[in-house]
Structure formats: C-alpha cells, structure tokens
Amino acid sequence: MKQNKKPLYRKVNTRARGVSHKFGNDFKHTRSKKKETTEQVRGSMHGKTQRGLDYTPLFQFLISKVGKNWDEVHQEAVSRLDKPDPIFWVVALNQKDKKDFVRVGESTYFSGLYVDHSNTLQLTNPGLKAKNMIPFCECCTHTLNGKVFGTE
C-alpha cells in the first residue's frame, strides 16, 4: 500500500509577519483603460506569476538527506513537489556551481548542497554555522537553515 506524504512546499507562508502574498491588485491597473486587451476579453489560461509558494520544507528535507543517494532523494523530492526547479536552487550538480550558502528570501539563507562523484548528496561547506554568520543589516532577522544568525 502506497502511503501519501505531505508536499514539500506550502501554499502560503503563514509563519512570517508582514509578508506580502501578492493576492489581487492585477485587475486594478487594467479596468479603466479604453482599449481592452485579448486577455481581458478572453481571459488568461494561466497566470504570469506563482503566488504564495514557500519551499522551506523542501530545503529542510534536502539538508536532512545529506549523505544519502542522490537518485533516491531526487526521486522522492520530485514526487512531492509541484515542479522540480526549486531543488536546483540549493543543489549543484557541477563543481563550478557549488555555493557555501544560497539566499532564498530577503533574509533567509540555506546551506549549499552538491552531488559528489559517488552520487551522494553533500554539504558544500559543512563548517558553516549560523553562530558564525553576521547579519547584513540590523532591521531584519537573518536565518541560516532556520536558525537565527549568531545563535547555535
């Protein structure tokens, strides 16, 4: 019997305060124009942006799978996502694309990952910790892998 697992993304980030989810406000810029566009007359089949998707659970999942076979990790992640692109925001398949950390929001960072020659998922810089990092500004709460800079 196949067990359904939760998706690795959230529709809306409800944990953050003051986050703009960009709902609405598109029609207000077009409603008073004299000439109607084809999209106004016929309607659009799909939107131009995806709104309110938070891939934090994906990034935490990938970090928890460090040391595991990449093919198995990738297969499970893709099966639990809406699209596979966000995986490669933090995972580098080539040596030249490796990064110590990746910025995924205004003040949210995650450790960079890569696939080594033995097809194993690895941390790019295993010594990188939130306690060693310094925030770039005092107004925001900067985090690395969910931990506030300067702690733990």
Side-chain angles (χ1 to χ4, degrees), residues 16-81:
R17 291 181 36 198
V19 174
S20 171
H21 300 294
K22 297 185 191 173
F23 289 116
N25 296 337
D26 290 338
F27 183 68
K28 77 175 183 181
H29 298 296
T30 60
R31 68 178 172 218
S32 296
K33 291 186 177 179
K34 299 199 188 268
K35 185 178 179 184
E36 293 181 341
T37 64
T38 20
E39 284 154 353
Q40 287 175 314
V41 175
R42 293 186 198 163
S44 175
M45 292 297 289
H46 43 77
K48 295 178 185 174
T49 61
Q50 290 199 347
R51 300 176 175 187
L53 296 179
D54 178 21
Y55 291 102
T56 301
L58 167 67
F59 305 139
Q60 292 171 341
F61 168 80
L62 291 172
I63 289 171
S64 73
K65 298 296 182 180
V66 167
K68 307 283 186 193
N69 182 305
W70 168 244
D71 293 331
E72 294 170 8
V73 172
H74 182 260
Q75 182 180 5
E76 182 177 352
V78 168
S79 71
R80 295 170 62 185
L81 286 172

Side-chain angles (χ1 to χ4, degrees), residues 128-146:
L128 185 67
K129 304 287 181 201
K131 69 180 178 181
N132 301 333
M133 298 189 73
I134 301 167
F136 302 111
C137 65
E138 297 299 322
C139 62
C140 302
T141 302
H142 291 77
T143 59
L144 175 70
N145 301 335

